[in-house]
Amino acid sequence: YVFSARISRLKGGGRKKDAPFISSQVIGDLQYILGINAGSVWGITGGRWRLGARAAVATIMSSIGGGATSIVISFYKTKKLQVNLLINGILSSIVSITGLLNVLFSFFNNDRNLALCAVSRPWHALIIGSVSAAFSISVLPLLDRWQIDDPVGVVPIHLTSSIWGMIAVGIFCER
């Protein structure tokens, strides 16, 4: 049964199982999102290539911030590196910076057709990714306590990171 409930996991008798080949999925997602973020400037003429380059740098810096934060939290909580926390931290940081970049690129200037907010600065992206990873990892124990089975991490990665990404627009957006 591919789509059956994992009742034994919630009753305490089962072991939590992560999705297979998750590390290759992270690499694929990073490449995919990097292409989306850098390509969301709709061209390279008229100076838009600079925005694409800044978007790529912001995406990479955010994933570095999220990965570093998740490593620190993992070592603090368990005294060893937990790969699932690292993956959650990286993916949540990418989701949060993507939300920020897509909102910023949706506003166009009439005279030059460029984004009003020139993406986010690299240190902004580090902070956005770090906070997103911390939020994502802090939601995991709540899901276990409330007995919500989320085998692929939709709630901690996409819900909390999307909300933080929208808040980050208001905090880090420059005119």
Side-chain angles (χ1 to χ4, degrees):
Y1 300 116
V2 176
F3 296 111
S4 63
R6 299 186 316 160
I7 296 171
S8 62
R9 181 208 177 274
L10 295 177
K11 298 293 183 196
R15 203 179 104 226
K16 185 174 180 180
K17 296 178 184 175
D18 291 326
F21 308 111
I22 195 77
S23 59
S24 62
Q25 292 170 357
V26 170
I27 301 292
D29 285 347
L30 181 60
Q31 291 173 350
Y32 174 71
I33 296 297
L34 190 62
I36 287 176
N37 290 349
S40 63
V41 296
W42 297 97
I44 58 171
T45 59
R48 288 190 210 138
W49 66 271
R50 290 184 191 103
L51 293 174
R54 289 188 71 178
V57 168
T59 303
I60 293 169
M61 293 300 285
S62 176
S63 64
I64 290 170
T69 301
S70 60
I71 288 172
V72 168
I73 292 172
S74 175
F75 276 113
Y76 178 75
K77 287 173 67 174
T78 63
K79 306 289 187 233
K80 57 185 172 181
L81 176 63
Q82 299 232 346
V83 177
N84 61 342
L85 294 182
L86 176 63
I87 290 169
N88 279 347
I90 292 172
L91 288 178
S92 66
S93 65
I94 292 171
V95 167
S96 64
I97 200 71
T98 300
L100 176 65
L101 292 172
N102 287 335
V103 169
L104 293 179
F105 281 132
S106 66
F107 297 105
F108 291 99
N109 191 351
N110 290 333
D111 58 337
R112 290 187 5 214
N113 201 20
L114 293 176
L116 283 174
C117 300
V119 207
S120 63
R121 299 188 186 276
W123 69 273
H124 290 165
L126 272 173
I127 293 171
I128 291 166
S130 296
V131 171
S132 177
F135 283 158
S136 175
I137 292 171
S138 66
V139 168
L140 293 172
L142 292 175
L143 293 177
D144 288 339
R145 185 179 310 140
W146 294 335
Q147 294 187 352
I148 297 173
D149 189 16
D150 188 11
V152 293
V154 172
V155 172
I157 292 173
H158 290 88
L159 180 67
T160 59
S161 301
S162 297
I163 292 170
W164 165 242
M166 290 185 285
I167 294 170
V169 170
I171 296 172
F172 295 104
C173 182
E174 296 177 355
R175 190 127 184 149

